[in-house]
Amino acid sequence: MSLDGIVTRALVHELQACAGARIAKIYQPTENEIVLHLRGQNANGRLLLSAHPSMPRLHWTQQAWENPSEPPMFCMLLRKHCEGGVIESVRQDGLERIVWIDVRHRDELGDFSVKRLVLEIMGRHSNLILMDPATGQIHDGIRHVTPAVSSYRVVLPGTAYVAPPSQDKRDPLRETEPAFRDRVSLAFSESGSLDTKAASSALVNAYTGLSPLAAKEIAHRAGGEPHKLWSAFRAVMDDVAAHRYEPNLVDTAGGKTLFSALALTHADGTVRAFGTMNECLETYYKDKADRDLVRQRTADLSRLLGNEISKNEKKLVKLEETLRESEEADKLRRTGELLTSQLHLLQRGDESAEITDYYEEGQPLVTVALDPMLTPTENAQRYFRKYNKLKNSKSAVEEQMAAAREEIAYLESVLQGLETAGPADIEEIREELAGQGYIRHHGEKRGAKKKKKDTPSVLCYTSSEGVPIYVGKNNVQNDYLTNRLGSPSDTWLHTKDIPGSHVLIRGEPYGDATLREAAALAAYYSKARASSNVPVDYTKIRNVRKPSGAKPGFVIYEGQKTLYVTPDEALVQSLFVSVK
């Protein structure tokens, strides 16, 4: 992971300002995250401690975390031992991804004691542990580790704290040149040149705190020359030892975003520099954390929508079979008429009969199946009854097929809304699905009056020409944007025949740049986000209307023109955005 020992060292160095600050509040917004509200000593703010399996980290956060109404047990324990306490120190275990936060707190008897929060940033093995540093005993961990999970150590209340297993790596800040050359000798090829890939791997395997990204940067700075590898390594370690960092994000051409405390000279992409490592991580993880939170809180909705779409698709298959059968109706009517005209050739007990088909050229003989239990007249009437049944069912089947297709389109639009939703949008989507009868309102009592809905919040971008562009991220917002917010002369955009957001350009005039940027936003906030040359329709709002009784987000429009654009995340991020 990019959050290696060097990044951790940079973070811990910046967090020295926490020493002396008081822990005013402690929250546990998710099962993996703890937020400490700190006051005093120029360290006012929220400090995030995360033991998330795929996003473990610590940094100052501006994010407004939504807290559960009932705090988890681990949160209650932290409040008992740490809330109101003063942070004595924030330290790193060597260059390991382990951070110790010592908190001095007054216990129930009024005596001061010190408790230690240990954040272990170890990927899927990450943990946050509260322990007594004097006795080495664990009070509890945010994640329990039992003997069945690990034979090396146990993380349970009352057990002795054991640090994660050492990988027998050296501290790079204390390395000597002879030992360095001995450890990375495998990186040199027989020709004497430097194998950058092998050098990166050798550095990662030899030294603690080095991620593959940092190791690749050191190898790159050597320029392929073996004798320069030590000097590149030493220069980086001297900067780290002196706390000379260059926090930055690199948006690569391949769509990945990298972060580092070192300047990434080997990475090809757009660089964003930051004043602190905390700001860098807050920016990097904000969208990722939001998406993870949305996935956690909408997993049930995603399953529901997937099941409903699958159910309607199966229904369509059956209806199509019925429709094919109904298209045989005219043939059944014709068979009934032929039997009626040739009743003299039939008698009860016949299982089939050969009759002349007067409707075909040459009047060939055709074999017709009969019910031996019926009279000739009853057999003819049976074909007429089948004809009438299929004729009547055809129009009903076509209506049902149209309804099923509309429902699939609607469900896909809600699913698309979930994919682009932020934490604040979840409740709107739940309310929408409850209003459509797919789920029940949370805690709704029979006969209770519904709460008056607040005005939905929509995204407002500003184009490069200074023109406001509004984006609805779900059907509730789409309805508000198109039917209430927009004026007749505003320009409305939507991906052509693809589930996505309604987009609105407010007012006139505007240039081609604004139109293309609005189209790019429509493509980005659609199911075709990962596609190229996405068709986007645009027309005036006066040409857009919502049919009576239509589902949320559904409109019909006319007079449209079509633009083809490729979604560009960098362009979207470059446009100023706010919430209206």
Side-chain angles (χ1 to χ4, degrees):
M1 60 165 58
S2 297
L3 207 165
D4 56 14
I6 295 175
V7 171
T8 304
R9 181 178 169 86
L11 290 167
V12 169
H13 178 65
E14 293 172 8
L15 292 175
Q16 294 309 303
C18 294
R22 186 173 299 278
I23 301 175
K25 292 286 184 182
I26 300 176
Y27 296 109
Q28 186 175 350
T30 73
E31 62 177 329
N32 299 302
E33 274 94 10
I34 290 291
V35 176
L36 307 180
H37 287 240
L38 304 184
R39 300 276 174 82
Q41 300 297 318
N42 298 315
N44 295 320
R46 294 187 288 266
L47 181 62
L48 172 68
L49 308 177
S50 173
H52 193 287
S54 60
M55 296 183 291
R57 63 204 189 277
L58 83 160
H59 55 81
W60 292 110
T61 179
Q62 298 296 323
Q63 186 174 348
W65 293 84
E66 187 177 319
N67 297 299
S69 55
E70 293 186 13
M73 291 298 296
F74 186 67
C75 180
M76 294 294 287
L77 183 72
L78 291 184
R79 288 178 178 178
K80 175 183 176 182
H81 290 288
C82 298
E83 197 166 81
V86 174
I87 293 180
E88 286 200 330
S89 64
V90 181
R91 293 176 294 149
Q92 181 183 15
D93 181 7
L95 210 62
E96 296 284 0
R97 291 168 295 164
I98 300 175
V99 179
W100 300 323
I101 301 176
D102 285 354
V103 181
R104 180 166 48 86
H105 184 266
R106 195 184 294 273
D107 61 23
E108 295 91 338
L109 299 176
D111 298 327
F112 282 108
S113 64
V114 175
K115 296 293 184 284
R116 177 172 293 169
L117 278 168
V118 183
L119 178 62
E120 301 172 345
I121 303 173
M122 302 289 175
R124 63 190 181 92
H125 300 296
S126 297
N127 213 335
L128 179 61
I129 298 166
L130 178 67
M131 63 170 290
D132 186 334
T135 64
Q137 192 175 70
I138 293 173
H139 289 292
D140 205 354
I142 202 167
R143 185 175 292 113
H144 288 174
V145 179
T146 66
V149 174
S150 171
S151 59
Y152 180 81
R153 69 169 188 160
V154 172
V155 178
L156 290 172
T159 60
Y161 174 75
V162 177
S166 170
Q167 296 178 303
D168 193 28
K169 294 183 179 182
R170 292 174 65 88
D171 183 346
L173 299 178
R174 300 181 179 180
E175 186 59 296
T176 62
E177 185 174 357
F180 175 84
R181 294 193 179 282
D182 181 57
R183 282 185 169 256
V184 299
S185 60
L186 294 176
F188 306 115
S189 67
E190 294 180 0
S191 63
S193 63
L194 180 66
D195 184 331
T196 302
K197 187 175 181 181
S200 301
S201 179
L203 290 171
V204 170
N205 292 332
Y207 299 104
T208 186
L210 286 186
S211 65
L213 182 66
K216 188 175 181 180
E217 175 61 25
I218 293 171
H220 174 77
R221 293 186 186 186
E225 300 182 40
H227 66 279
K228 291 185 177 180
L229 185 59
W230 163 251
S231 59
F233 175 85
R234 189 68 268 158
V236 168
M237 292 306 131
D238 285 345
D239 285 342
V240 172
H243 298 297
R244 294 189 294 265
Y245 306 111
E246 298 182 57
N248 67 102
L249 293 177
V250 179
D251 300 310
T252 67
K256 288 184 65 177
T257 300
L258 310 173
F259 70 84
S260 177
L262 310 173
L264 298 178
T265 60
H266 74 275
D268 184 19
T270 304
V271 179
R272 287 181 278 165
F274 295 86
T276 68
M277 200 68 233
N278 277 273
E279 292 172 7
C280 181
L281 260 65
E282 167 77 347
T283 302
Y284 177 82
Y285 280 110
K286 185 180 185 307
D287 288 342
K288 289 179 178 290
D290 281 353
R291 292 304 311 148
D292 183 73
L293 186 61
V294 169
R295 276 194 295 270
Q296 287 181 26
R297 295 185 178 177
T298 61
D300 59 327
L301 298 184
S302 296
R303 283 193 300 272
L304 169 73
L305 293 169
N307 291 339
E308 290 293 326
I309 289 172
S310 177
K311 186 170 70 175
N312 277 278
E313 287 173 342
K314 290 176 182 177
K315 182 179 179 180
L316 267 180
V317 171
K318 291 182 179 179
L319 288 171
E320 285 168 355
E321 291 176 0
T322 306
L323 187 62
R324 282 194 294 271
E325 291 176 0
S326 70
E327 289 170 352
E328 299 290 318
D330 286 340
K331 184 177 179 181
L332 293 170
R333 176 187 55 79
R334 194 166 73 175
T335 301
E337 291 173 352
L338 291 173
L339 286 174
T340 301
S341 66
Q342 301 172 64
L343 288 176
H344 62 284
L345 299 176
L346 314 178
Q347 58 185 2
R348 185 191 288 268
D350 289 344
E351 294 184 356
S352 63
E354 283 195 345
I355 57 176
T356 303
D357 187 352
Y358 299 115
Y359 295 99
E360 292 289 332
E361 188 178 345
Q363 299 184 357
L365 291 174
V366 294
T367 302
V368 177
L370 302 174
D371 186 339
M373 303 301 293
L374 302 179
T375 66
T377 300
E378 289 171 338
N379 265 303
Q381 291 300 317
R382 184 168 71 100
Y383 276 94
F384 283 123
R385 282 195 301 273
K386 283 185 179 180
Y387 159 71
N388 287 324
K389 182 179 179 181
L390 289 179
K391 183 182 72 171
N392 294 333
S393 71
K394 183 176 181 180
S395 59
V397 167
E398 288 173 341
E399 288 179 7
Q400 291 178 45
M401 289 179 70
R405 291 192 181 101
E406 285 180 11
E407 187 165 8
I408 290 172
Y410 168 70
L411 294 167
E412 287 181 339
S413 74
V414 179
L415 200 56
Q416 170 60 28
L418 282 182
E419 291 175 2
T420 57
D425 304 318
I426 298 173
E427 195 55 36
E428 285 181 348
I429 296 175
R430 285 192 179 276
E431 287 293 324
E432 176 189 343
L433 289 172
Q436 295 298 309
Y438 290 100
I439 62 174
R440 292 182 179 179
H441 287 279
H442 287 298
E444 182 181 339
K445 295 180 180 179
R446 187 170 295 177
K449 291 183 179 180
K450 291 185 180 179
K451 284 177 64 178
K452 188 177 180 180
K453 292 184 179 179
D454 297 327
T455 300
S457 298
V458 297
L459 293 177
C460 179
Y461 287 87
T462 302
S463 76
S464 58
E465 298 175 325
V467 179
I469 304 172
Y470 292 85
V471 178
K473 292 172 67 181
N474 56 54
N475 287 324
V476 173
Q477 295 177 17
N478 287 340
D479 274 352
Y480 168 73
L481 182 148
T482 301
N483 303 317
R484 292 167 56 192
L485 181 64
S487 300
S489 60
D490 292 341
T491 301
W492 181 90
L493 302 93
H494 193 280
T495 43
K496 183 180 180 67
D497 301 325
I498 300 170
S501 294
H502 294 197
V503 176
L504 186 70
I505 303 174
R506 290 300 300 270
E508 294 181 292
Y510 58 82
D512 184 62
T514 294
L515 180 62
R516 295 202 70 84
E517 286 163 1
L521 286 167
Y524 182 79
Y525 286 103
S526 79
K527 193 176 181 180
R529 175 182 288 198
S531 305
S532 57
N533 290 322
V534 179
V536 177
D537 287 341
Y538 65 98
T539 187
K540 295 296 182 184
I541 279 222
R542 66 172 67 96
N543 299 323
V544 182
R545 66 183 181 87
K546 184 180 183 70
S548 177
K551 288 185 178 293
F554 181 79
V555 294
I556 56 177
Y557 54 91
E558 59 188 8
Q560 71 273 17
K561 296 180 181 178
T562 305
L563 270 177
Y564 289 85
V565 295
T566 297
D568 185 347
E569 185 169 4
L571 171 63
V572 171
Q573 291 177 348
S574 71
L575 302 175
F576 177 77
V577 62
S578 61
V579 178
K580 299 289 185 180

PDB file of all heavy atoms in Angstrom, residues 169-192:
ATOM      1  N   LYS A 169      13.352  -7.033   8.854  1.00  0.00           N
ATOM      2  CA  LYS A 169      13.877  -6.031   7.931  1.00  0.00           C
ATOM      3  C   LYS A 169      14.687  -4.996   8.701  1.00  0.00           C
ATOM      4  O   LYS A 169      14.503  -4.792   9.890  1.00  0.00           O
ATOM      5  CB  LYS A 169      12.726  -5.346   7.182  1.00  0.00           C
ATOM      6  CG  LYS A 169      11.947  -6.265   6.249  1.00  0.00           C
ATOM      7  CD  LYS A 169      10.878  -5.475   5.494  1.00  0.00           C
ATOM      8  CE  LYS A 169      10.101  -6.373   4.544  1.00  0.00           C
ATOM      9  NZ  LYS A 169       9.087  -5.598   3.763  1.00  0.00           N
ATOM     10  N   ARG A 170      15.568  -4.318   7.994  1.00  0.00           N
ATOM     11  CA  ARG A 170      16.440  -3.315   8.611  1.00  0.00           C
ATOM     12  C   ARG A 170      15.787  -1.939   8.574  1.00  0.00           C
ATOM     13  O   ARG A 170      14.952  -1.650   7.706  1.00  0.00           O
ATOM     14  CB  ARG A 170      17.786  -3.271   7.889  1.00  0.00           C
ATOM     15  CG  ARG A 170      18.618  -4.541   8.095  1.00  0.00           C
ATOM     16  CD  ARG A 170      19.869  -4.505   7.247  1.00  0.00           C
ATOM     17  NE  ARG A 170      20.790  -3.435   7.638  1.00  0.00           N
ATOM     18  CZ  ARG A 170      21.726  -3.551   8.568  1.00  0.00           C
ATOM     19  NH1 ARG A 170      21.858  -4.699   9.214  1.00  0.00           N
ATOM     20  NH2 ARG A 170      22.541  -2.546   8.848  1.00  0.00           N
ATOM     21  N   ASP A 171      16.187  -1.075   9.511  1.00  0.00           N
ATOM     22  CA  ASP A 171      15.732   0.305   9.549  1.00  0.00           C
ATOM     23  C   ASP A 171      16.517   1.087   8.492  1.00  0.00           C
ATOM     24  O   ASP A 171      17.730   1.243   8.609  1.00  0.00           O
ATOM     25  CB  ASP A 171      15.981   0.886  10.941  1.00  0.00           C
ATOM     26  CG  ASP A 171      15.444   2.317  11.072  1.00  0.00           C
ATOM     27  OD1 ASP A 171      15.128   2.932  10.031  1.00  0.00           O
ATOM     28  OD2 ASP A 171      15.356   2.819  12.206  1.00  0.00           O
ATOM     29  N   PRO A 172      15.863   1.589   7.444  1.00  0.00           N
ATOM     30  CA  PRO A 172      16.596   2.277   6.367  1.00  0.00           C
ATOM     31  C   PRO A 172      17.250   3.587   6.817  1.00  0.00           C
ATOM     32  O   PRO A 172      18.201   4.054   6.186  1.00  0.00           O
ATOM     33  CB  PRO A 172      15.509   2.546   5.322  1.00  0.00           C
ATOM     34  CG  PRO A 172      14.232   2.574   6.085  1.00  0.00           C
ATOM     35  CD  PRO A 172      14.415   1.594   7.189  1.00  0.00           C
ATOM     36  N   LEU A 173      16.751   4.184   7.907  1.00  0.00           N
ATOM     37  CA  LEU A 173      17.330   5.439   8.378  1.00  0.00           C
ATOM     38  C   LEU A 173      18.705   5.231   9.016  1.00  0.00           C
ATOM     39  O   LEU A 173      19.474   6.191   9.159  1.00  0.00           O
ATOM     40  CB  LEU A 173      16.392   6.104   9.389  1.00  0.00           C
ATOM     41  CG  LEU A 173      14.994   6.490   8.869  1.00  0.00           C
ATOM     42  CD1 LEU A 173      14.152   7.091   9.985  1.00  0.00           C
ATOM     43  CD2 LEU A 173      15.099   7.462   7.697  1.00  0.00           C
ATOM     44  N   ARG A 174      19.005   3.993   9.384  1.00  0.00           N
ATOM     45  CA  ARG A 174      20.282   3.709  10.045  1.00  0.00           C
ATOM     46  C   ARG A 174      21.202   2.834   9.191  1.00  0.00           C
ATOM     47  O   ARG A 174      22.201   2.310   9.696  1.00  0.00           O
ATOM     48  CB  ARG A 174      20.020   3.007  11.382  1.00  0.00           C
ATOM     49  CG  ARG A 174      19.183   3.843  12.350  1.00  0.00           C
ATOM     50  CD  ARG A 174      18.966   3.112  13.653  1.00  0.00           C
ATOM     51  NE  ARG A 174      18.188   3.919  14.598  1.00  0.00           N
ATOM     52  CZ  ARG A 174      17.858   3.525  15.813  1.00  0.00           C
ATOM     53  NH1 ARG A 174      18.251   2.332  16.250  1.00  0.00           N
ATOM     54  NH2 ARG A 174      17.148   4.306  16.598  1.00  0.00           N
ATOM     55  N   GLU A 175      20.905   2.689   7.934  1.00  0.00           N
ATOM     56  CA  GLU A 175      21.671   1.787   7.082  1.00  0.00           C
ATOM     57  C   GLU A 175      23.032   2.369   6.703  1.00  0.00           C
ATOM     58  O   GLU A 175      23.194   3.586   6.566  1.00  0.00           O
ATOM     59  CB  GLU A 175      20.862   1.485   5.801  1.00  0.00           C
ATOM     60  CG  GLU A 175      21.480   0.434   4.894  1.00  0.00           C
ATOM     61  CD  GLU A 175      21.672  -0.913   5.580  1.00  0.00           C
ATOM     62  OE1 GLU A 175      22.460  -0.989   6.546  1.00  0.00           O
ATOM     63  OE2 GLU A 175      21.030  -1.884   5.146  1.00  0.00           O
ATOM     64  N   THR A 176      24.004   1.452   6.567  1.00  0.00           N
ATOM     65  CA  THR A 176      25.353   1.837   6.118  1.00  0.00           C
ATOM     66  C   THR A 176      25.542   1.411   4.671  1.00  0.00           C
ATOM     67  O   THR A 176      24.858   0.505   4.177  1.00  0.00           O
ATOM     68  CB  THR A 176      26.420   1.155   6.984  1.00  0.00           C
ATOM     69  OG1 THR A 176      26.309  -0.269   6.827  1.00  0.00           O
ATOM     70  CG2 THR A 176      26.248   1.531   8.454  1.00  0.00           C
ATOM     71  N   GLU A 177      26.476   2.025   3.992  1.00  0.00           N
ATOM     72  CA  GLU A 177      26.681   1.725   2.570  1.00  0.00           C
ATOM     73  C   GLU A 177      27.111   0.280   2.324  1.00  0.00           C
ATOM     74  O   GLU A 177      26.557  -0.383   1.435  1.00  0.00           O
ATOM     75  CB  GLU A 177      27.691   2.696   1.965  1.00  0.00           C
ATOM     76  CG  GLU A 177      27.851   2.495   0.467  1.00  0.00           C
ATOM     77  CD  GLU A 177      28.742   3.565  -0.174  1.00  0.00           C
ATOM     78  OE1 GLU A 177      29.181   4.497   0.535  1.00  0.00           O
ATOM     79  OE2 GLU A 177      28.999   3.453  -1.391  1.00  0.00           O
ATOM     80  N   PRO A 178      28.070  -0.279   3.097  1.00  0.00           N
ATOM     81  CA  PRO A 178      28.463  -1.682   2.842  1.00  0.00           C
ATOM     82  C   PRO A 178      27.290  -2.653   3.010  1.00  0.00           C
ATOM     83  O   PRO A 178      27.117  -3.564   2.198  1.00  0.00           O
ATOM     84  CB  PRO A 178      29.556  -1.936   3.881  1.00  0.00           C
ATOM     85  CG  PRO A 178      30.095  -0.582   4.200  1.00  0.00           C
ATOM     86  CD  PRO A 178      28.930   0.338   4.123  1.00  0.00           C
ATOM     87  N   ALA A 179      26.522  -2.458   4.085  1.00  0.00           N
ATOM     88  CA  ALA A 179      25.383  -3.355   4.308  1.00  0.00           C
ATOM     89  C   ALA A 179      24.332  -3.177   3.204  1.00  0.00           C
ATOM     90  O   ALA A 179      23.709  -4.147   2.758  1.00  0.00           O
ATOM     91  CB  ALA A 179      24.763  -3.081   5.678  1.00  0.00           C
ATOM     92  N   PHE A 180      24.163  -1.951   2.776  1.00  0.00           N
ATOM     93  CA  PHE A 180      23.200  -1.670   1.706  1.00  0.00           C
ATOM     94  C   PHE A 180      23.587  -2.411   0.429  1.00  0.00           C
ATOM     95  O   PHE A 180      22.759  -3.074  -0.205  1.00  0.00           O
ATOM     96  CB  PHE A 180      23.139  -0.163   1.453  1.00  0.00           C
ATOM     97  CG  PHE A 180      22.271   0.209   0.280  1.00  0.00           C
ATOM     98  CD1 PHE A 180      20.893   0.345   0.421  1.00  0.00           C
ATOM     99  CD2 PHE A 180      22.825   0.421  -0.973  1.00  0.00           C
ATOM    100  CE1 PHE A 180      20.083   0.694  -0.658  1.00  0.00           C
ATOM    101  CE2 PHE A 180      22.035   0.771  -2.060  1.00  0.00           C
ATOM    102  CZ  PHE A 180      20.661   0.904  -1.900  1.00  0.00           C
ATOM    103  N   ARG A 181      24.860  -2.282   0.036  1.00  0.00           N
ATOM    104  CA  ARG A 181      25.306  -2.928  -1.207  1.00  0.00           C
ATOM    105  C   ARG A 181      25.185  -4.444  -1.121  1.00  0.00           C
ATOM    106  O   ARG A 181      24.874  -5.112  -2.105  1.00  0.00           O
ATOM    107  CB  ARG A 181      26.746  -2.513  -1.516  1.00  0.00           C
ATOM    108  CG  ARG A 181      26.867  -1.018  -1.835  1.00  0.00           C
ATOM    109  CD  ARG A 181      28.216  -0.668  -2.450  1.00  0.00           C
ATOM    110  NE  ARG A 181      28.297   0.741  -2.777  1.00  0.00           N
ATOM    111  CZ  ARG A 181      27.739   1.306  -3.854  1.00  0.00           C
ATOM    112  NH1 ARG A 181      27.073   0.546  -4.709  1.00  0.00           N
ATOM    113  NH2 ARG A 181      27.855   2.598  -4.072  1.00  0.00           N
ATOM    114  N   ASP A 182      25.409  -4.972   0.052  1.00  0.00           N
ATOM    115  CA  ASP A 182      25.292  -6.422   0.231  1.00  0.00           C
ATOM    116  C   ASP A 182      23.840  -6.875   0.073  1.00  0.00           C
ATOM    117  O   ASP A 182      23.566  -7.901  -0.526  1.00  0.00           O
ATOM    118  CB  ASP A 182      25.820  -6.816   1.612  1.00  0.00           C
ATOM    119  CG  ASP A 182      25.745  -8.320   1.839  1.00  0.00           C
ATOM    120  OD1 ASP A 182      26.338  -9.069   1.034  1.00  0.00           O
ATOM    121  OD2 ASP A 182      25.076  -8.734   2.800  1.00  0.00           O
ATOM    122  N   ARG A 183      22.902  -6.072   0.596  1.00  0.00           N
ATOM    123  CA  ARG A 183      21.492  -6.464   0.583  1.00  0.00           C
ATOM    124  C   ARG A 183      20.845  -6.300  -0.779  1.00  0.00           C
ATOM    125  O   ARG A 183      19.873  -6.984  -1.087  1.00  0.00           O
ATOM    126  CB  ARG A 183      20.714  -5.653   1.627  1.00  0.00           C
ATOM    127  CG  ARG A 183      20.922  -6.183   3.038  1.00  0.00           C
ATOM    128  CD  ARG A 183      20.073  -5.469   4.063  1.00  0.00           C
ATOM    129  NE  ARG A 183      20.120  -6.191   5.321  1.00  0.00           N
ATOM    130  CZ  ARG A 183      19.135  -6.974   5.785  1.00  0.00           C
ATOM    131  NH1 ARG A 183      18.041  -7.125   5.097  1.00  0.00           N
ATOM    132  NH2 ARG A 183      19.266  -7.599   6.937  1.00  0.00           N
ATOM    133  N   VAL A 184      21.322  -5.384  -1.600  1.00  0.00           N
ATOM    134  CA  VAL A 184      20.669  -5.150  -2.901  1.00  0.00           C
ATOM    135  C   VAL A 184      21.513  -5.644  -4.068  1.00  0.00           C
ATOM    136  O   VAL A 184      21.268  -5.294  -5.218  1.00  0.00           O
ATOM    137  CB  VAL A 184      20.337  -3.653  -3.099  1.00  0.00           C
ATOM    138  CG1 VAL A 184      19.390  -3.164  -2.024  1.00  0.00           C
ATOM    139  CG2 VAL A 184      21.603  -2.801  -3.129  1.00  0.00           C
ATOM    140  N   SER A 185      22.502  -6.492  -3.786  1.00  0.00           N
ATOM    141  CA  SER A 185      23.390  -6.964  -4.852  1.00  0.00           C
ATOM    142  C   SER A 185      22.637  -7.713  -5.947  1.00  0.00           C
ATOM    143  O   SER A 185      23.037  -7.726  -7.110  1.00  0.00           O
ATOM    144  CB  SER A 185      24.490  -7.862  -4.257  1.00  0.00           C
ATOM    145  OG  SER A 185      23.901  -8.985  -3.608  1.00  0.00           O
ATOM    146  N   LEU A 186      21.525  -8.350  -5.589  1.00  0.00           N
ATOM    147  CA  LEU A 186      20.762  -9.100  -6.595  1.00  0.00           C
ATOM    148  C   LEU A 186      20.121  -8.192  -7.633  1.00  0.00           C
ATOM    149  O   LEU A 186      19.667  -8.656  -8.671  1.00  0.00           O
ATOM    150  CB  LEU A 186      19.676  -9.939  -5.897  1.00  0.00           C
ATOM    151  CG  LEU A 186      20.168 -11.062  -4.987  1.00  0.00           C
ATOM    152  CD1 LEU A 186      18.975 -11.737  -4.305  1.00  0.00           C
ATOM    153  CD2 LEU A 186      20.965 -12.087  -5.780  1.00  0.00           C
ATOM    154  N   ALA A 187      20.070  -6.902  -7.345  1.00  0.00           N
ATOM    155  CA  ALA A 187      19.453  -5.963  -8.289  1.00  0.00           C
ATOM    156  C   ALA A 187      20.371  -5.652  -9.465  1.00  0.00           C
ATOM    157  O   ALA A 187      19.935  -5.072 -10.457  1.00  0.00           O
ATOM    158  CB  ALA A 187      19.092  -4.662  -7.572  1.00  0.00           C
ATOM    159  N   PHE A 188      21.668  -6.038  -9.358  1.00  0.00           N
ATOM    160  CA  PHE A 188      22.595  -5.741 -10.438  1.00  0.00           C
ATOM    161  C   PHE A 188      22.631  -6.897 -11.422  1.00  0.00           C
ATOM    162  O   PHE A 188      22.782  -8.056 -11.052  1.00  0.00           O
ATOM    163  CB  PHE A 188      23.999  -5.489  -9.881  1.00  0.00           C
ATOM    164  CG  PHE A 188      24.032  -4.420  -8.815  1.00  0.00           C
ATOM    165  CD1 PHE A 188      24.372  -4.717  -7.512  1.00  0.00           C
ATOM    166  CD2 PHE A 188      23.701  -3.123  -9.134  1.00  0.00           C
ATOM    167  CE1 PHE A 188      24.395  -3.735  -6.538  1.00  0.00           C
ATOM    168  CE2 PHE A 188      23.711  -2.133  -8.167  1.00  0.00           C
ATOM    169  CZ  PHE A 188      24.057  -2.434  -6.874  1.00  0.00           C
ATOM    170  N   SER A 189      22.477  -6.587 -12.690  1.00  0.00           N
ATOM    171  CA  SER A 189      22.513  -7.628 -13.726  1.00  0.00           C
ATOM    172  C   SER A 189      23.965  -8.003 -14.012  1.00  0.00           C
ATOM    173  O   SER A 189      24.902  -7.338 -13.559  1.00  0.00           O
ATOM    174  CB  SER A 189      21.843  -7.120 -15.003  1.00  0.00           C
ATOM    175  OG  SER A 189      22.600  -6.071 -15.570  1.00  0.00           O
ATOM    176  N   GLU A 190      24.154  -9.083 -14.780  1.00  0.00           N
ATOM    177  CA  GLU A 190      25.502  -9.532 -15.103  1.00  0.00           C
ATOM    178  C   GLU A 190      26.257  -8.483 -15.909  1.00  0.00           C
ATOM    179  O   GLU A 190      27.478  -8.400 -15.862  1.00  0.00           O
ATOM    180  CB  GLU A 190      25.431 -10.850 -15.882  1.00  0.00           C
ATOM    181  CG  GLU A 190      24.886 -12.002 -15.040  1.00  0.00           C
ATOM    182  CD  GLU A 190      24.822 -13.297 -15.846  1.00  0.00           C
ATOM    183  OE1 GLU A 190      25.203 -13.257 -17.033  1.00  0.00           O
ATOM    184  OE2 GLU A 190      24.412 -14.321 -15.284  1.00  0.00           O
ATOM    185  N   SER A 191      25.541  -7.664 -16.669  1.00  0.00           N
ATOM    186  CA  SER A 191      26.184  -6.630 -17.481  1.00  0.00           C
ATOM    187  C   SER A 191      26.618  -5.436 -16.641  1.00  0.00           C
ATOM    188  O   SER A 191      27.298  -4.547 -17.123  1.00  0.00           O
ATOM    189  CB  SER A 191      25.227  -6.148 -18.578  1.00  0.00           C
ATOM    190  OG  SER A 191      24.088  -5.535 -17.988  1.00  0.00           O
ATOM    191  N   GLY A 192      26.213  -5.429 -15.377  1.00  0.00           N
ATOM    192  CA  GLY A 192      26.599  -4.327 -14.511  1.00  0.00           C
ATOM    193  C   GLY A 192      25.591  -3.203 -14.463  1.00  0.00           C
ATOM    194  O   GLY A 192      25.763  -2.251 -13.708  1.00  0.00           O
TER     195      GLY A 192
END
